[in-house]
Amino acid sequence: MLQTMKKFILSMGVTAAAVLLLLLSSCSGGTAQKQADLSAFAQALQEKYDFAAFLMEQDPEADEFAKQSIEQYLPGLLDLELEQRVIYMSMITLNNGEFSMVQAKNAEDADKVREIFQARIDYMAGDGETPGGAWYPGPTELWNNSARVKVNGNYVLMVTSEDCDQIVDEFNALFA
């Protein structure tokens, strides 16, 4: 009887340990993040939202001016190894929005991208005493009130648009 009781307790301990490991692996991101095609999402934004028609894709490999623009407005971004990078900016002074998205290789780089994107928003919005990079009252208000940075795993979105919250929801839906 004592021997049977010991076997029962031992098997319960092994089962509990297995359940605990399973729970820990699921809580620590044991499942892979769903992959998203950022170029396709950018195309969908251009087709759906009017502000996107005024933006130009900035491809630093194809265009030296684009490379310089990204280095100036998103300093440090090109220093990171990224899985995907899609940058759409306004090339006129009257900046009525823009969007940029990346897939970083890891969470640390995703956080660096988040910081770079937030610095872009902060610069464009200004500090309240001096005008920001948006220059004009309407765009400055837009950058202050309708700009978002969203991190979803290793994916990071920056969007400035009157429809920013809807666009963030659509971005999040890519991973649902």
Side-chain angles (χ1 to χ4, degrees):
M1 172 86 167
L2 186 58
Q3 194 66 6
T4 305
M5 191 85 129
K6 285 181 180 179
K7 285 182 181 178
F8 176 75
I9 291 172
L10 182 61
S11 69
M12 290 304 291
V14 170
T15 302
V19 169
L20 182 60
L21 284 173
L22 180 64
L23 288 172
L24 288 174
S25 69
S26 66
C27 290
S28 65
T31 59
Q33 181 177 16
K34 185 176 179 182
Q35 297 295 302
D37 182 345
L38 298 181
S39 293
F41 184 62
Q43 183 65 39
L45 293 179
Q46 287 189 297
E47 292 169 4
K48 186 173 182 179
Y49 297 100
D50 292 337
F51 84 99
F54 298 100
L55 304 178
M56 293 181 58
E57 184 173 11
Q58 302 299 303
D59 182 356
E61 281 80 36
D63 181 10
E64 183 62 30
F65 178 74
K67 182 178 178 181
Q68 291 172 0
S69 295
I70 293 170
E71 287 173 344
Q72 179 179 355
Y73 298 122
L74 300 168
L77 188 67
L78 297 180
D79 297 333
L80 300 171
E81 276 190 61
L82 304 170
E83 299 287 336
Q84 297 181 71
R85 176 187 58 233
V86 179
I87 310 293
Y88 278 82
M89 296 180 143
S90 175
M91 294 292 103
I92 59 174
T93 306
L94 187 62
N95 186 313
N96 285 314
E98 63 187 48
F99 64 87
S100 297
M101 299 173 277
V102 303
Q103 177 188 6
K105 288 199 178 226
N106 55 56
E108 182 182 327
D109 285 349
D111 192 53
K112 289 177 185 175
V113 172
R114 181 196 57 75
E115 290 173 2
I116 291 168
F117 285 173
Q118 188 59 55
R120 170 74 174 153
I121 292 171
D122 294 346
Y123 166 74
M124 292 300 285
D127 62 10
E129 294 179 23
T130 57
W135 292 92
Y136 300 102
T140 299
E141 182 178 330
L142 181 75
W143 281 86
N144 270 296
N145 301 318
S146 300
R148 306 285 185 270
V149 175
K150 175 63 181 166
V151 178
N152 199 320
N154 291 342
Y155 291 84
V156 188
L157 164 74
M158 177 194 69
V159 61
T160 303
S161 165
E162 291 175 352
D163 300 302
C164 64
D165 292 327
Q166 183 175 344
I167 293 168
V168 166
D169 289 344
E170 292 171 15
F171 177 73
N172 287 336
L174 295 173
F175 308 100

